[in-house]
Amino acid sequence: MLPNSSERLFVFEGGTDGPWKVSEMEAVRGEGLPVVSAVAVRLGSEAQAAETPPVWDRGFALRGVTSNERYVARAEKDTLVARQQGLGRPEATRAALIPIRKSAAWWALTQDERRRILEEQSRHIAIGLEYLPAIARRLHHCRDLGDAQPFDFLTWFEYAPDHGPAFEELCARLRDSPEWAYVDREVHISLERT
Amino acid sequence: MLPNSSERLFVFEGGTDGPWKVSEMEAVRGEGLPVVSAVAVRLGSEAQAAETPPVWDRGFALRGVTSNERYVARAEKDTLVARQQGLGRPEATRAALIPIRKSAAWWALTQDERRRILEEQSRHIAIGLEYLPAIARRLHHCRDLGDAQPFDFLTWFEYAPDHGPAFEELCARLRDSPEWAYVDREVHISLERT
């Protein structure tokens, strides 16, 4: 069951301090983000309560909320739940934050049209399943937060160093898919912790 | 095309002042709302900028954002677009604000399961189409706003006095449908303006 939305809101703060060190920042499509050296992931409620100075004054603070799935069907969900691992595994010392914005043309499509492009044409869900349980993932929605957000989605990935090549392959396959014709801004931030 | 989310955020302020006078407030399911005598509908950006004292100190302020459709398929969308009328018609001096919250069980369903209940079992879209163009409607999403909201959806309806009985029939048919087993809070606020 989904908790209250205030417990589903996360803030990704990019600055000079944080547990995740930036190893690379790439503007895959469209405008990039300010270059930062570290990223901290906080619950929205904690970020609002924090008394520390905003490290993202010179960096960024991206907000997103976890939510119900928009496209996954029951059979896919059951497979996902059986295979996927949670965040925070001790061996998962590599992470990636990939903010994405989709075009106005995407959002003008109807639900059946978006599902057809995402899965029947692009196999987004099926491709993702191939990389489980190695790659853990959490999707955050930004589009309907109510204040203007620079991206529509923030996806957070965690994996062990050995699975780095597999993760890069996963990203490349999705970027090659018909769905990605509707992505008009994408940044890839590679992270690691000790 | 959808504008920026800050232009899609609306605030429904219930208090003592506003262009829409409350003719009736009914707690259809679950907890009601504070009794108010008038409702004002404002763009979120205007509500934040307003210097007037918050009339909803003793009433309510419900926020919601218009968004892409979650269930409508292309054929349905084309029919909707061809038939529906916009808000603000001079003859539409009756309105209703119906805030709804759905249960945790609803949000745990997958997309295909929710669509099946909403349309194939409950005919929510098809029933709504029968009342076009008489009843104009705008749906606002609250669930993913990022701060805790008391409802998941706010639907705003406008119609001419002659269509009041048809509107009541529409509400009764939807409340009788299988989908409504997943509604755990609903308030019906009937409004009129001169």
Side-chain angles (χ1 to χ4, degrees):
Chain A
M1 304 300 159
L2 289 172
N4 191 295
S5 69
S6 61
E7 299 161 57
R8 294 188 275 114
L9 179 70
F10 292 85
V11 184
F12 298 84
E13 297 179 346
T16 54
D17 202 29
W20 291 96
K21 306 304 170 195
V22 174
S23 53
E24 194 179 346
M25 287 184 70
E26 184 191 358
V28 179
R29 195 167 299 181
E31 194 187 351
L33 280 171
V35 174
V36 297
S37 55
V39 168
V41 186
R42 309 173 80 164
L43 260 176
S45 51
E46 291 169 2
Q48 285 164 0
E51 291 178 31
T52 51
V55 292
W56 41 270
D57 261 3
R58 302 165 306 279
F60 58 79
L62 301 174
R63 301 162 69 238
V65 63
T66 60
S67 187
N68 56 292
E69 294 95 354
R70 305 291 205 257
Y71 300 103
V72 171
R74 171 52 59 190
E76 295 157 349
K77 172 83 173 265
D78 291 343
T79 313
L80 277 166
V81 168
R83 285 195 208 165
Q84 71 197 355
Q85 294 279 310
L87 301 182
R89 291 172 293 176
E91 71 274 21
T93 58
R94 297 292 180 275
L97 171 63
I98 305 189
I100 278 179
R101 188 180 64 202
K102 283 184 169 169
S103 65
W106 173 261
W107 295 111
L109 296 173
T110 54
Q111 177 69 29
D112 56 329
E113 292 168 334
R114 281 182 274 113
R115 161 78 197 190
R116 198 171 308 127
I117 294 165
L118 184 135
E119 189 57 21
E120 280 70 31
Q121 296 179 14
S122 303
R123 302 187 63 248
H124 187 140
I125 299 165
I127 290 174
L129 276 168
E130 292 180 39
Y131 296 86
L132 298 182
I135 315 290
R137 167 188 177 272
R138 192 170 67 203
L139 176 65
H140 313 76
H141 299 257
C142 329
R143 185 171 181 77
D144 290 341
L145 274 180
D147 51 348
Q149 295 293 320
F151 296 96
D152 293 335
F153 304 101
L154 311 172
T155 315
W156 178 263
F157 301 91
E158 288 181 8
Y159 51 92
D162 281 355
H163 295 122
F167 178 66
E168 298 302 323
E169 181 188 272
L170 165 61
C171 294
R173 290 175 69 186
L174 290 175
R175 286 174 186 146
D176 266 348
S177 73
E179 182 189 349
W180 247 249
Y182 295 91
V183 171
D184 69 9
R185 187 178 180 193
E186 177 175 10
V187 181
H188 188 134
I189 305 170
S190 303
L191 301 155
E192 50 186 81
R193 63 171 173 82
T194 47
Chain B
M1 304 300 159
L2 290 171
N4 191 296
S5 68
S6 61
E7 299 161 57
R8 294 187 276 114
L9 179 70
F10 292 85
V11 184
F12 297 85
E13 298 180 344
T16 54
D17 201 30
W20 292 96
K21 306 305 170 195
V22 174
S23 53
E24 194 180 347
M25 285 183 72
E26 183 191 359
V28 179
R29 195 167 299 181
E31 193 187 352
L33 279 170
V35 174
V36 297
S37 55
V39 169
V41 186
R42 310 173 79 166
L43 260 176
S45 51
E46 292 169 0
Q48 284 164 0
E51 291 178 32
T52 51
V55 293
W56 41 269
D57 261 4
R58 303 165 305 279
F60 58 80
L62 301 174
R63 302 162 68 237
V65 62
T66 60
S67 187
N68 56 293
E69 295 95 353
R70 305 291 204 257
Y71 300 103
V72 171
R74 172 52 59 190
E76 294 157 350
K77 171 83 173 266
D78 290 344
T79 313
L80 277 166
V81 168
R83 285 196 209 166
Q84 70 195 355
Q85 293 278 311
L87 301 181
R89 291 171 293 176
E91 70 274 22
T93 57
R94 297 292 181 274
L97 171 63
I98 305 190
I100 278 180
R101 187 180 64 203
K102 283 185 170 171
S103 65
W106 173 262
W107 295 110
L109 297 172
T110 54
Q111 177 69 29
D112 56 329
E113 292 168 333
R114 282 182 272 112
R115 161 77 197 192
R116 199 172 308 126
I117 294 166
L118 184 136
E119 189 56 20
E120 279 70 32
Q121 295 178 16
S122 302
R123 301 185 64 245
H124 188 141
I125 299 164
I127 290 173
L129 276 169
E130 292 179 39
Y131 296 87
L132 298 181
I135 315 290
R137 167 188 177 274
R138 191 171 66 203
L139 176 64
H140 312 76
H141 299 258
C142 327
R143 184 169 183 78
D144 290 340
L145 275 180
D147 51 348
Q149 295 293 320
F151 296 96
D152 293 334
F153 305 101
L154 311 172
T155 316
W156 178 262
F157 301 91
E158 288 182 6
Y159 51 92
D162 281 355
H163 295 123
F167 178 66
E168 297 302 323
E169 180 187 271
L170 165 61
C171 294
R173 290 175 69 185
L174 289 175
R175 286 174 187 144
D176 266 346
S177 73
E179 182 190 350
W180 247 249
Y182 295 90
V183 172
D184 69 8
R185 188 177 178 193
E186 178 175 8
V187 181
H188 188 133
I189 306 170
S190 302
L191 301 154
E192 51 185 82
R193 63 171 172 83
T194 46

